[in-house]
C-alpha cells in the first residue's frame, strides 16, 4: 500500500482500512482525465512562474510519457496505490525525480477529483448525444419509408384510431430529441472548471484559473471554491437525463416486444438481433428489447444512489463523495450500449405491413370517423356518438366491421347514412383526413419530416 499523506501518522493503516478507503479499482477509469488535468495545471504553474520552465517541461513530458505507456500497455496501473491521483504522482516522481513532487503545488485531490469527474462526465454527455443522434437518424429513415404504413393507434392498449408507423415512430423522435436538448442544457451548465479551488478555500499561490479553464476547454472557472469541490449536481443531472433516456427506450422496447409477439405479429426482428431457446426450438426471442427494458432499473438505481449520498453532506468535500463514481460509470456505459444496440435492432426490424393494416381495420378504429360522418350530415356529435355505439354493439354481435354492413343495415341506425359513408370510413380516409399539425395524415407527416431532416442536418 502506498499513500500520499503518511507524514502526520505514527502507525501504518490497517490493510482492511486501506482497502475500504481505496478507490483505484474504479477511479482508474479517470486516468486520461487525471493526466489531462495535471498537464494543464503544470502548464499554468509554469506560465505563472510558480514552476520554472524546465520544471514545467519535465513534468509535462513525464505525464505525457506515463499516458503513452499506459495506453500502449507497457505500464500497468498499480492497484496497490490508494487512488488514480496517487498512482500518477508516484509514477511521475519515480520517473523524473524530485521535480515530480512539485506538480501538486496549489492543488488538492479535492479539486483534482472534481475536475477529473467533470471531464469524464462532459465527454460522455457528448458521446451519449452522438449515439442519440444515430438513433434519431434510424427513426427518421423508418418514418420516411412508412408514411403510408397503417397501424392501429392504441389507448389503454385497446385499439383506438388508425395511425401510421411514421406517426408512431415520430412520437419517439420527439422524446429522443428532447433528451438531446436536456444533454445540451447540462453541458452548458456544467462547463466550468473547478481546478484551483484547492482543498476548499482556494490557495495563496497566484494561480491563473481562467487560463487553466481555457486550456481544458471550459467556459471559465467555477466561482466558489467550496462549491467547486463539493458540487456533484452535474452527475445527478446527467443520471437524471440518462434515466429519462432509458425510460423512453424501455417504453419503446415494451412496444416492440408486444408487436413481435405471436398474437400481434406486427414486426419481425432480424435474426442477428434475436436469440433462441435452449429447449424450445421454435422460439425467437426479443432479448435485446427485454434487456434494454431491464437495464433501466440499474440506471435509475445510480440516480437514486447519488441523490441519497449527496443529501446529507455538509460543505465542503467529504469522503462520501467517492461514491459518485462506480454506479455512474456503470450507468453511462449501460446507456451508451443500450442506445447503440437498440438502434441496430430497429434498423434491421421488418414491418409486416399487411398484418398491421388488417389489425388497423378491425376493432372499430373507424368508429370516431363514422360518428364524424353523421356530424357532417347535421347530427349533433353526442347523438352521433350514441348511434355509432349501438351500431358497434350490433357489429360485435354479428362479428363484422362497420364497413362490412350494407347501406340498408346502416340506414336502420340513421337515415343520414348514404353510400359515400364507405369511403368516409375507409382506413385510408381515416388517416388521410387527419391533417392537423402533428397528426398522422400524409401531408402533415411530410411537413414534420422536412423539419426533422433540417434538425438532424444542422444539429
Ligand atoms: N478518491 C477520492 C474521491 O474519489 C479523491 C479525493 C480524495 N480527497 C480526500 N481529501 N481524501 O473522492
Amino acid at each position: 500500500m502506498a499513500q500520499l499523506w503518511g507524514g502526520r501518522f505514527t502507525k501504518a493503516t490497517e490493510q482492511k482500512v486501506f482497502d475500504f478507503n481505496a478507490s483505484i479499482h474504479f477511479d482508474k477509469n479517470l486516468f486520461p482525465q487525471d493526466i489531462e488535468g495535471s498537464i494543464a495545471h503544470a502548464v499554468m504553474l509554469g506560465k505563472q512562474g510558480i514552476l520554472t520552465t524546465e520544471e514545467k517541461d519535465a513534468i509535462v513530458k513525464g505525464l505525457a510519457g506515463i499516458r503513452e505507456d499506459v495506453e500502449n500497455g507497457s505500464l500497468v496501473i498499480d492497484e496497490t496505490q490508494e487512488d488514480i491521483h496517487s498512482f500518477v504522482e508516484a509514477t511521475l516522481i519515480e520517473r523524473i525525480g524530485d521535480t515530480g513532487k512539485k506538480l501538486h503545488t496549489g492543488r488538492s485531490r479535492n479539486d483534482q477529483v472534481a475536475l477529473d469527474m467533470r471531464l469524464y462526465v462532459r465527454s460522455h454527455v457528448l458521446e451519449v448525444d452522438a449515439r442519440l443522434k444515430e438513433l434519431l437518424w434510424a427513426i427518421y429513415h423508418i418514418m420516411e419509408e412508412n408514411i403510408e404504413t397503417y397501424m392501429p393507434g392504441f389507448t389503454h392498449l385497446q385499439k383506438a384510431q388508425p395511425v401510421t408507423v411514421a406517426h408512431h415512430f415520430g412520437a419517439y423522435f420527439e422524446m429522443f430529441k428532447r433528451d438531446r436538448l436536456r444533454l445540451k442544457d447540462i453541458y452548458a451548465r456544467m462547463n466550468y472548471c473547478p481546478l484551483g479551488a484547492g482543498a476548499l478555500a482556494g490557495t495563496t499561490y497566484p494561480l491563473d484559473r481562467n487560463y487553466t479553464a481555457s486550456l481544458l476547454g471550459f467556459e471559465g472557472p467555477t466561482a466558489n471554491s467550496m462549491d467547486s469541490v463539493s458540487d456533484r449536481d452535474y452527475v445527478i443531472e446527467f443520471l437524471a437525463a440518462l434515466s429519462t433516456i432509458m425510460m423512453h427506450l424501455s417504453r419503446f422496447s415494451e412496444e416492440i416486444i408486444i408487436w413481435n409477439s405471436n398474437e400481434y405479429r406486427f414486426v419481425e426482428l432480424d435474426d442477428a438481433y434475436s436469440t433462441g431457446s435452449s429447449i424450445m426450438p421454435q422460439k425467437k426471442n426479443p432479448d435485446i428489447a427485454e434487456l434494454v427494458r431491464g437495464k433501466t432499473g440499474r440506471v435509475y438505481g445510480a440516480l437514486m444512489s447519488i441523490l441519497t449520498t449527496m443529501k446529507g453532506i455538509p460543505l465542503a468535500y467529504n469522503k462520501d463523495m467517492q461514491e459518485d463514481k462506480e454506479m455512474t460509470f456503470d450507468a453511462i456505459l449501460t446507456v451508451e450500449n443500450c442506445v447503440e444496440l437498440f438502434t441496430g435492432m430497429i434498423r434491421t426490424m421488418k414491418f409486416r405491413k399487411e398484418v398491421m393494416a388488417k389489425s388497423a381495420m378491425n376493432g372499430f378504429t373507424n368508429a370516431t370517423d363514422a360518428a364524424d360522418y353523421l356530424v357532417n350530415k347535421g347530427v349533433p356529435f353526442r347523438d352521433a356518438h350514441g348511434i355509432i355505439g349501438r351500431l358497434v354493439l350490433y357489429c360485435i354481435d354479428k362479428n363484422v366491421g362497420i364497413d362490412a354492413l350494407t347501406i340498408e343495415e346502416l340506414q336502420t341506425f340513421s337515415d343520414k347514412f348514404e353510400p359515400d359513408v364507405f369511403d368516409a370510413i375507409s382506413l385510408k380516409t381515416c388517416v388521410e383526413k387527419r391533417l392537423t399539425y402533428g397528426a398522422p395524415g400524409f401531408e402533415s407527416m411530410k411537413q414534420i419530416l422536412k423539419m426533422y431532416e433540417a434538425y438532424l442536418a444542422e444539429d
Side-chain angles (χ1 to χ4, degrees), residues 204-452:
T204 55
Y205 297 98
L207 306 187
D208 183 347
R209 294 195 57 209
N210 278 298
Y211 182 64
T212 330
S214 77
L215 286 179
L216 293 165
F218 287 103
E219 199 55 41
T222 48
N224 180 292
S225 59
M226 292 180 83
D227 179 52
S228 308
V229 291
S230 57
D231 167 35
R232 295 295 182 273
D233 287 3
Y234 60 96
V235 176
I236 294 172
E237 287 190 41
F238 189 35
L239 287 172
L242 294 181
S243 296
T244 309
I245 293 168
M246 287 306 289
M247 179 267 289
H248 292 153
L249 281 177
S250 185
R251 293 181 72 178
F252 210 164
S253 294
E254 169 73 8
E255 299 212 277
I256 289 173
I257 292 161
I258 293 172
W259 295 344
N260 183 63
S261 66
N262 302 137
E263 282 67 27
Y264 274 73
R265 298 179 63 255
F266 281 8
V267 294
E268 161 116 46
L269 293 175
D270 196 78
D271 277 4
Y273 281 87
S274 334
T275 49
S277 157
S278 61
I279 175 168
M280 298 167 283
Q282 84 281 15
K283 285 280 204 157
K284 186 171 151 188
N285 297 328
D287 285 25
I288 300 303
E290 289 170 23
L291 272 172
V292 169
R293 188 177 60 182
K295 283 177 190 290
T296 305
R298 65 203 274 172
V299 178
Y300 289 4
L303 172 62
M304 288 321 296
S305 164
I306 183 74
L307 278 171
T308 313
T309 294
M310 293 304 293
K311 87 179 202 14
I313 301 185
L315 293 180
Y317 178 82
N318 293 258
K319 192 67 175 231
D320 318 38
M321 292 166 75
Q322 181 166 289
E323 289 296 312
D324 65 350
K325 295 179 193 60
E326 279 166 287
M327 293 182 81
T328 302
F329 295 157
D330 178 78
I332 292 172
L333 294 187
T334 299
V335 174
E336 288 174 359
N337 269 330
C338 286
V339 176
E340 191 183 335
L341 278 153
F342 191 90
T343 303
M345 180 181 71
I346 62 167
R347 259 197 194 127
T348 51
M349 184 170 84
K350 301 255 175 320
F351 295 97
R352 290 202 170 98
K353 298 187 182 183
E354 349 62 67
V355 179
M356 287 177 129
K358 209 167 148 204
S359 169
M361 270 187 287
N362 302 332
F364 306 105
T365 56
N366 54 2
T368 315
D369 295 84
D372 288 343
Y373 171 89
L374 292 178
V375 170
N376 281 327
K377 303 265 165 171
V379 182
F381 181 77
R382 194 47 60 210
D383 292 340
H385 189 284
I387 293 167
I388 303 300
R390 286 189 291 281
L391 184 60
V392 166
L393 207 57
Y394 174 81
C395 289
I396 290 173
D397 198 44
K398 285 192 68 176
N399 197 21
V400 292
I402 300 175
D403 32 358
L405 299 180
T406 62
I407 188 67
E408 291 75 25
E409 274 175 302
L410 286 170
Q411 282 165 349
T412 63
F413 290 87
S414 166
D415 56 9
K416 301 284 190 228
F417 281 121
E418 287 168 59
D420 63 349
V421 65
F422 296 107
D423 185 49
I425 64 170
S426 77
L427 184 58
K428 192 168 160 56
T429 317
C430 288
V431 175
E432 289 320 317
K433 274 194 328 212
R434 293 191 151 71
L435 288 172
T436 37
Y437 181 76
F442 190 80
E443 291 306 324
S444 299
M445 221 52 237
K446 282 244 153 194
Q447 191 186 354
I448 296 290
L449 277 166
K450 212 175 251 165
M451 178 176 92
Y452 285 175

Side-chain angles (χ1 to χ4, degrees), residues 23 27 83 85 109-110 113 317 319 321-322 325:
S23 52
D27 67 20
D83 54 28
H85 326 298
R109 275 186 297 165
N110 297 351
V113 78
Y317 178 82
K319 192 67 175 231
M321 292 166 75
Q322 181 166 289
K325 295 179 193 60

Side-chain angles (χ1 to χ4, degrees), residues 91-104:
T91 313
L92 183 69
I93 294 167
E94 205 179 284
R95 291 187 169 196
I96 70 166
D98 279 355
T99 306
K101 295 181 181 169
K102 296 193 174 182
L103 167 63
H104 211 51

